[in-house]
Amino acid sequence: MSKQQLSLEPVGGCCVPIMDAALDGAAAAEGASVFKALADPIRLRLMSIIASAADEVCVCDLTPQFDVSGPTISHHLKVLREAGLVDCERRGTWVYYWPLPERLTWMSTLLSVPAPTAG
Amino acid sequence: MSKQQLSLEPVGGCCVPIMDAALDGAAAAEGASVFKALADPIRLRLMSIIASAADEVCVCDLTPQFDVSGPTISHHLKVLREAGLVDCERRGTWVYYWPLPERLTWMSTLLSVPAPTAG
């Protein structure tokens, strides 16, 4: 699937939780593509390393943490970027990554469950 | 991948957000398998219909909403069940589905982003 950045608009990080309203076909297709970005062990772990870091993460610090090649890591990082989960900038030899919290908030809200009401 | 219900323990619906701590390889593998269950347009839409329904949903009410065969819907429902996202019960001719909010809460918490602190 060749595509640019998804058009899903996480305006203000907000969306309607699936506990509140069913998705139509188009919304489900777009949402599923975001989940697909995290539906891989290497990508989910990469995402968690980038998301939990105090600062931007150099790709040179990511690759040694995995038993796969540099190009494989670069491929997975590209998928995360196309899903709007991370962004990056090249500086000299290396590329540096940081998380885009809006997309995480969007996914988190979509899956959120209302707290049980008392009584 | 042939597997039974995932062993991921959503104890109290709680887990550590990826913004707070990186996942190790094992946790990432298990987490990715849950995201994979929602990384398909039909499954995400099925999940949203079941999750947003006021009551249990009969498979006989699900199938007509999709342009795919009954067995295809059944396959996707099985994936959702194995991921711990829904459960079901057969009564007479039909199978009835309901959501398991613990797993949704687990995913939502994993992806949650701390609110910006003031000042």
Side-chain angles (χ1 to χ4, degrees):
Chain A
M1 185 165 33
S2 165
K3 62 174 178 305
Q4 297 302 308
Q5 187 108 355
L6 289 167
S7 62
L8 253 185
E9 284 287 345
V11 182
C14 200
C15 69
V16 179
I18 58 172
M19 292 290 285
D20 290 344
L23 299 170
D24 64 21
E30 205 148 16
S33 68
V34 182
F35 284 108
K36 197 169 181 178
L38 294 184
D40 175 277
I42 292 177
R43 287 201 295 274
L44 182 57
R45 194 161 158 237
L46 278 169
M47 184 68 217
S48 75
I49 294 170
I50 296 167
S52 63
D55 206 345
E56 298 170 4
V57 183
C58 175
V59 70
C60 59
D61 292 322
L62 289 169
T63 310
Q65 301 189 51
F66 294 84
D67 292 329
V68 296
S69 70
T72 298
I73 293 296
S74 294
H75 161 75
H76 286 305
L77 287 168
K78 186 176 172 222
V79 174
L80 291 176
R81 195 161 54 82
E82 287 179 345
L85 286 159
V86 300
D87 204 354
C88 66
E89 187 176 75
R90 174 177 289 278
R91 287 188 222 118
T93 307
W94 301 113
V95 183
Y96 294 80
Y97 287 83
W98 60 89
L100 295 178
E102 293 78 7
R103 181 69 86 210
L104 286 174
T105 298
W106 183 90
M107 296 173 83
S108 180
T109 304
L110 191 74
L111 302 176
S112 63
V113 175
T117 49
Chain B
M1 186 165 33
S2 165
K3 62 175 181 304
Q4 297 302 306
Q5 187 108 0
L6 290 167
S7 62
L8 253 186
E9 286 285 345
V11 182
C14 202
C15 69
V16 179
I18 58 173
M19 293 290 286
D20 290 344
L23 299 171
D24 64 22
E30 204 148 17
S33 68
V34 181
F35 284 108
K36 196 169 183 180
L38 294 184
D40 175 277
I42 293 177
R43 287 202 294 275
L44 182 56
R45 194 162 157 235
L46 278 170
M47 184 68 216
S48 75
I49 294 171
I50 296 168
S52 63
D55 207 345
E56 297 169 5
V57 183
C58 176
V59 70
C60 59
D61 292 323
L62 289 169
T63 309
Q65 300 189 51
F66 293 84
D67 291 330
V68 296
S69 69
T72 297
I73 293 297
S74 294
H75 160 74
H76 286 305
L77 288 167
K78 186 176 172 220
V79 175
L80 291 176
R81 194 160 55 79
E82 287 179 346
L85 286 159
V86 301
D87 203 354
C88 66
E89 187 175 75
R90 175 176 287 278
R91 286 188 222 118
T93 307
W94 301 112
V95 182
Y96 295 79
Y97 287 83
W98 60 91
L100 295 178
E102 292 79 7
R103 181 70 84 210
L104 287 174
T105 297
W106 183 90
M107 295 173 83
S108 180
T109 304
L110 191 73
L111 302 176
S112 63
V113 175
T117 49

